[in-house]
Amino acid sequence: MRNNWSIKSKLLTKRLAVLSMSALIVSVLAACGGSSNPPTAEDAGQYEVTPGDPFSAYKDEVTVTMGRVTTANPKLPAGDTYENNAYTRLVKESFNAQIKDQFEANGEDYSRQVSLAIASGELPDMMRVDSKDELKELVDNDLIEDLTEVYKQYATDNIKQIYDSYDGRALDNATIDGRLMGLPATSLDSAPTMVWVRQDWLDVLGIKLDADGDGAIKLEDVEKTAEEFLKKDPGQTGKPVGIPFVNTLNTTDYNGSAYTMLGVASTEGAYPQYWMKGEDGSIIYGSTTEETKQMLGVMADWFKRGIIDPQFGTRTFDDITALYTNGQSGIAFGPWHIPDWGLSSVKQMDKHAKFTAYTLEDADSKVNVAHANPSGQFIVVRKGYEHPELAIKIINLFYDKLANDKDVATSMPEAAKYLESGVDGSTRPFNIEVNSATSLLDDYSDVVRGIKGEIGLDQVRTTESKNNIGSIQTYLKDQDTDDVTAWSKYHSRMNGVGLIDKLTQEGKFNWMTPAFSGTTPSMKQTWANLTKMEQESFIKIITGAEPLDYFETFVSNWKKQGGDQVIQEIEAETTSQK
């Protein structure tokens, strides 16, 4: 519900609308800063000397309050905080704008803070919202600025090109009734889920995977390798464990696919938890298809044979990571970057550890993958904030200027040190990523050419890629180096992204475009229970507590307990958008 303040504000707006447009009212509105129109050259005081300049500073210091998404270990230098660090100081130096944090939180705590801010109408000047539903709620309650004009006037050409690389999908997600109401984060395609296998164990056991060298292997290859690891215990722990999976099992985010069965599902052409369009145009929930049933049959067979961890369903994420760290398991499903934050712990315990990334192909030698939702997070600006263009300027600064500056060590030395030392990106004013749809492979091309000496560091597009080149060269000089960063960057970029690049160039991907991503009205009441039912049903089938045919019972119950209603709502929404 709206608070009294927002209701009064609405009433006042309506009353003003019926009055004549006198010069007095115009001046009052200008003084209040309630208009989303960008400043003009005649605007005095705090506005920049050159309106529309994407990087010029304000004459007088301005303040912006923020809701900040934090992380548990930001790796900030001693004395620096989320509110006062190299990145926030860069905003002050660049624009004469002082950042003050209205709240800082992580995970569900952040979501609660956003919900409280929306309910009370007391928003910070800028904050991130994590769903289209929250964006719509803010628009419905007239709590945020229309950014259409300031985006057109202030966004740099590079930023506009980044958003345009998604063929309109990213900005469309942030557009309501034809108006741009938020600045979207971007989520580029980072498929597929990979199978990371201990290469040093393969070498010891004389196992040859991927004989044709195309990077894609079959399910039976994974089965045989897992059985050999269990039999011969190459980690010499005395207690080897099969492939561990998280009990949530599925995800629609390839970046968050660690320890899920998304890779296994792909071999059956299954897309659990995705919304798809059937041949007749109807909406289908991927978790209820015959292909998903077949995938569960594979998983149940694996569990019975010990190929899957016998404690599946009870281990936490950290428990699973510990199995790899301790040398009890050597096959991990996960995204291209899992060596950077998950498997790196294996290197810390065993300096000789090496992984090779593979992907699973179907019977037709295709790798089935789904396109990512191009944007699910949005930076919004409080209605009435005097400087909505500052949000665009901050985007320009971090995702254009800092990202592309060839001499960042000289022009922005503090920020350059953060990048070099691996300070977490959440310490930037906006905890989002804004990258072009091709940036992952573009960066990989720079890294490969830089390592080969085909281009100099001054020709490498991003500071991150320059740092990665140095790390990878360190690893290539000594593959038993104690430098964990060098090890992880080699594995994630050369093995992980290198595989994506190879599969892309060879046309191995079979892409599916989801029909819907979002929330319908009834999902707000039923989706938690439906998700729990799905998870519990799948675990029962895999562990043998229920036979495979129990899948039909799950589908029937899912439909009756709200699934059919959700499908009707999605079909209505997707039809209205045509």
Side-chain angles (χ1 to χ4, degrees):
M1 295 178 63
R2 301 183 194 180
N3 62 359
N4 291 336
W5 175 86
S6 68
I7 292 171
K8 290 176 181 177
S9 177
K10 273 289 198 180
L11 291 172
L12 177 59
T13 302
K14 290 177 180 178
R15 288 168 186 161
L16 287 174
V18 301
L19 296 176
S20 64
M21 295 299 292
S22 67
L24 175 61
I25 291 177
V26 172
S27 65
V28 169
L29 288 174
C32 293
S35 170
S36 60
N37 291 329
T40 65
E42 288 73 29
D43 289 322
Q46 295 179 350
Y47 286 121
E48 64 271 32
V49 177
T50 311
D53 186 323
F55 295 112
S56 61
Y58 297 99
K59 290 180 181 178
D60 300 325
E61 180 181 292
V62 302
T63 300
V64 55
T65 60
M66 288 197 178
R68 299 287 293 280
V69 185
T70 63
T71 191
N73 182 23
K75 301 179 185 177
L76 282 165
D80 280 0
T81 65
Y82 269 92
E83 189 175 73
N84 182 15
N85 62 58
Y87 294 142
T88 60
R89 291 191 287 271
L90 183 59
V91 172
K92 179 65 170 68
E93 294 163 9
S94 301
F95 304 128
N96 198 19
Q98 186 71 47
I99 292 174
K100 298 289 184 183
D101 290 349
Q102 184 166 313
F103 57 82
E104 299 175 357
N106 186 27
E108 292 182 0
D109 288 337
Y110 181 79
S111 298
R112 279 192 286 271
Q113 291 281 4
V114 171
S115 296
L116 287 171
I118 294 174
S120 67
E122 297 178 0
L123 272 62
D125 298 327
M126 298 177 192
M127 68 177 180
R128 190 184 91 183
V129 295
D130 291 341
S131 72
K132 183 69 173 283
D133 296 318
E134 286 180 328
L135 184 68
K136 286 179 179 176
E137 186 176 0
L138 288 163
V139 172
D140 290 344
N141 286 279
D142 197 26
L143 292 175
I144 56 175
E145 283 285 335
D146 176 352
L147 302 178
T148 309
E149 297 306 321
V150 290
Y151 173 79
K152 289 178 182 176
Q153 187 167 357
Y154 286 91
T156 65
D157 288 343
N158 281 341
I159 292 299
K160 289 175 179 175
Q161 287 171 10
I162 287 173
Y163 282 129
D164 289 346
S165 71
Y166 293 87
D167 297 324
R169 291 182 298 145
L171 289 180
D172 284 351
N173 268 2
T175 300
I176 297 175
D177 295 331
R179 310 303 293 173
L180 184 66
M181 301 307 297
L183 301 173
T186 60
S187 297
L188 50 138
D189 287 320
S190 53
T193 294
M194 297 175 184
V195 190
W196 292 88
V197 185
R198 283 286 295 262
Q199 184 61 47
D200 52 319
W201 290 5
L202 294 175
D203 294 340
V204 166
L205 299 179
I207 298 173
K208 301 293 183 185
L209 274 178
D210 189 28
D212 60 6
D214 67 352
I217 58 178
K218 303 285 189 184
L219 266 182
E220 50 263 36
D221 296 320
V222 178
E223 293 174 4
K224 291 174 184 175
T225 303
E227 288 175 327
E228 287 297 295
F229 284 179
L230 285 168
K231 261 189 256 177
K232 298 179 180 174
D233 187 19
Q236 299 181 345
T237 63
K239 45 186 178 181
V241 173
I243 304 170
F245 290 92
V246 286
N247 57 18
T248 50
L249 282 172
N250 294 308
T251 179
T252 56
D253 176 13
Y254 285 94
N255 275 313
S257 64
Y259 315 150
T260 69
M261 61 182 183
L262 189 55
V264 178
S266 70
T267 65
E268 301 294 335
Y271 298 97
Q273 295 192 350
Y274 281 92
W275 295 103
M276 303 180 294
K277 187 159 284 191
E279 292 181 2
D280 61 354
S282 62
I283 294 295
I284 300 170
Y285 182 53
S287 296
T288 64
T289 65
E290 183 64 27
E291 290 81 4
T292 295
K293 180 181 179 180
Q294 293 170 7
M295 176 265 298
L296 290 173
V298 170
M299 296 286 286
D301 178 61
W302 278 12
F303 185 84
K304 186 177 180 180
R305 293 161 57 191
I307 292 170
I308 289 178
D309 169 22
Q311 293 187 39
F312 162 67
T314 62
R315 292 196 201 268
T316 65
F317 193 93
D318 289 341
D319 291 339
I320 292 173
T321 300
L323 293 176
Y324 297 113
T325 305
N326 298 335
Q328 291 176 259
S329 196
I331 300 176
F333 284 88
W336 65 265
H337 48 79
I338 195 173
D340 290 341
W341 48 268
L343 301 182
S344 57
S345 61
V346 179
K347 168 65 175 177
Q348 291 173 329
M349 293 295 289
D350 183 353
K351 70 178 296 182
H352 301 296
K354 296 180 181 67
F355 283 86
T356 297
Y358 304 95
T359 189
L360 287 173
E361 61 184 6
D362 65 14
D364 297 322
S365 298
K366 283 292 189 179
V367 178
N368 298 310
V369 285
H371 281 300
N373 176 12
S375 57
Q377 299 170 333
F378 309 91
I379 299 299
V380 297
V381 178
R382 175 182 60 80
K383 183 79 171 185
Y385 180 59
E386 295 87 348
H387 310 289
E389 73 285 342
L390 179 57
I392 316 292
K393 286 171 167 279
I394 291 173
I395 293 284
N396 293 339
L397 177 62
F398 287 93
Y399 305 103
D400 181 358
K401 191 171 185 178
L402 179 61
N404 297 311
D405 195 317
K406 301 296 184 185
D407 191 25
V408 68
T410 302
S411 60
M412 292 171 271
E414 262 203 312
K417 287 180 181 177
Y418 268 34
L419 293 169
E420 186 176 351
S421 60
V423 174
D424 194 78
S426 65
T427 57
R428 295 171 301 195
F430 298 153
N431 188 355
I432 61 171
E433 297 298 333
V434 180
N435 297 305
S436 72
T438 62
S439 62
L440 186 65
L441 299 185
D442 293 342
D443 290 345
Y444 173 72
S445 175
D446 277 4
V447 169
V448 171
R449 290 185 297 153
I451 291 169
K452 292 179 178 178
E454 294 175 357
I455 58 174
L457 286 181
D458 61 332
Q459 296 172 280
V460 175
R461 295 177 315 113
T462 69
T463 301
E464 183 181 8
S465 291
K466 291 177 185 177
N467 293 335
N468 288 336
I469 289 170
S471 294
I472 292 168
Q473 287 174 330
T474 297
Y475 177 80
L476 291 173
K477 288 175 186 173
D478 176 15
Q479 296 190 17
D480 290 329
T481 177
D482 292 328
D483 189 330
V484 176
T485 297
W487 182 94
S488 64
K489 296 305 180 186
Y490 173 84
H491 279 75
S492 62
R493 268 65 183 181
M494 304 308 290
N495 282 352
V497 183
L499 179 57
I500 294 175
D501 184 68
K502 177 180 174 62
L503 296 169
T504 299
Q505 299 213 20
E506 294 176 355
K508 288 275 286 186
F509 286 132
N510 177 38
W511 288 99
M512 186 276 288
T513 301
F516 178 80
S517 59
T519 306
T520 70
S522 69
M523 287 174 77
K524 296 174 182 177
Q525 285 75 45
T526 63
W527 201 246
N529 288 334
L530 289 174
T531 300
K532 182 180 179 184
M533 178 200 306
E534 176 181 330
Q535 179 182 329
E536 291 176 349
S537 298
F538 285 13
I539 290 174
K540 287 176 182 177
I541 291 172
I542 292 170
T543 59
E546 294 285 358
L548 183 58
D549 285 346
Y550 182 74
F551 181 79
E552 313 302 337
T553 302
F554 152 70
V555 173
S556 176
N557 290 337
W558 183 89
K559 290 181 175 182
K560 291 176 184 175
Q561 296 182 31
D564 276 345
Q565 176 64 32
V566 172
I567 287 176
Q568 290 176 18
E569 292 171 352
I570 294 174
E571 288 179 339
E573 183 167 336
T574 53
T575 300
S576 67
Q577 291 174 352
K578 289 181 180 179

